[in-house]
Amino acid sequence: MSYCLLVLKIGSIYTSDMKMLRSTIKRLPWTAISSALLTSLLWVLFIYMQPEVFTKQSSACNFRMSTKNSVPRTDSEETALDCSVRLAAPGTFPVIVLASPPGSGNTWTRHLIQQATGFYTGSEYNVAAMTNKGFAGEVEDWTTGTTLTVKTHFSRLSRPGIHQKAKAAILLLRNPCSVAVAERNRRLTRNKTSMAYWNSSLKFDKVWFRAVVWQVHLVERFANNWLQLGIPVHVVFYENIQVNPVREIAKIVKFVNLTVNEDRMACVRKNTEGNYHRQYSNKAKLYKEVLSPEIKRYSQMVMERVSVFLVKHGQNPVPWRNLPPEVLP
């Protein structure tokens, strides 16, 4: 007789007649009952000593449930990213200049650096209006080390200037034809986002031709002077940033001895444009209308010299394939 049947039998007997129960108990196989009780006791002790054997399946179920309920972070949840930017404590950073000819995308590059690092960049020009556009470091004393980089358009390094205190430099270059167009927009509109009036007759205008030639030689002078200054220099091309901003800005982060943080790189992806990135309705058409074949040939000739000079000083050459085809002859 099994243990369970035995229990049922006892229960049924108890409800019918107590006298019969007493006589039944006398006839029970007490050896079997003792064996069953002993087996039950051993099982209880086994479970108590090794509970993980019996909880393993439960944990696996819980794991599967949590996996099922978890979902990848969506675009809407990227708002949880900490993309805040702050000033560093005084003396944190050495003077690292971000040098470029005007019109090369210096302000846009500063924005991307801030997104990638969480630190404000500065400038030697102190344009107060920029503090409300995401550049609180603009009016900081650039010698105090509270900003990561310092913007400059200074290139005549034979004269006293910011280069005398610079410990390193990020040299931002752009093809001279695009620089000339961007700088004309800035000068005529007096801001960094608006478009000036353009006329196709400029293609044959001598004043415009001289303006572009001047920009061509300015780019060459920047490369020559900053690379021969004797401090660490990292050259970055505006056109390369356009193609892959995360990759190029990550190189800058490493150059300034900071760690590339994936969350901060997500901030770069989330806010690539910034507040000072001029939008063109049709840049290719504009280039075709205002850049003559002579301008394009002259620009390419000089930039080929610049490319050779860059390689000579351990830098990458001009990224010809990333340049707008409309600026090439």
Side-chain angles (χ1 to χ4, degrees), residues 34-55:
S34 300
S35 178
L37 290 174
L38 180 60
T39 302
S40 300
L41 179 61
L42 290 174
W43 272 107
V44 171
L45 291 173
F46 182 77
I47 293 171
Y48 179 80
M49 297 299 293
Q50 302 189 48
E52 66 275 8
V53 175
F54 298 91
T55 58

Side-chain angles (χ1 to χ4, degrees), residues 196-269:
Y197 173 76
W198 291 89
N199 191 301
S200 57
S201 62
L202 278 175
K203 180 182 290 187
F204 309 104
D205 184 87
K206 293 183 178 179
V207 175
W208 170 241
F209 180 85
R210 288 195 295 270
V212 179
V213 170
W214 189 85
Q215 293 292 347
V216 170
H217 288 290
L218 181 60
V219 172
E220 184 178 31
R221 186 170 73 218
F222 261 83
N224 290 346
N225 290 355
W226 281 102
L227 283 172
Q228 295 185 89
L229 187 59
I231 61 175
V233 177
H234 173 73
V235 177
V236 58
F237 275 87
Y238 175 91
E239 290 81 5
N240 286 346
I241 299 177
Q242 281 187 310
V243 171
N244 195 329
V246 171
R247 179 191 64 196
E248 295 303 314
I249 298 303
K251 293 178 183 177
I252 293 177
V253 173
K254 292 178 181 178
F255 177 74
V256 298
N257 289 325
L258 293 180
T259 302
V260 177
N261 182 285
E262 288 305 319
D263 284 345
R264 296 303 310 195
M265 289 297 112
C267 294
V268 174
R269 297 186 188 94

Side-chain angles (χ1 to χ4, degrees), residues 114-125:
Q114 292 181 170
Q115 292 296 300
T117 64
F119 291 106
Y120 281 116
T121 59
S123 169
E124 67 168 335
Y125 302 112

Side-chain angles (χ1 to χ4, degrees), residues 161-211:
I162 190 174
H163 63 286
Q164 294 175 317
K165 294 187 177 181
K167 303 301 180 183
I170 301 165
L171 179 59
L172 175 63
L173 299 178
R174 187 180 186 183
N175 81 84
C177 292
S178 296
V179 169
V181 171
E183 185 60 4
R184 183 178 185 273
N185 279 325
R186 187 189 67 82
R187 287 177 178 272
L188 294 183
T189 63
R190 297 184 182 277
N191 66 63
K192 298 176 180 291
T193 58
S194 301
M195 290 289 296
Y197 173 76
W198 291 89
N199 191 301
S200 57
S201 62
L202 278 175
K203 180 182 290 187
F204 309 104
D205 184 87
K206 293 183 178 179
V207 175
W208 170 241
F209 180 85
R210 288 195 295 270

Side-chain angles (χ1 to χ4, degrees), residues 123-129 137-142:
S123 169
E124 67 168 335
Y125 302 112
N126 297 323
V127 181
E138 178 72 18
V139 295
E140 285 287 303
D141 182 348
W142 56 267

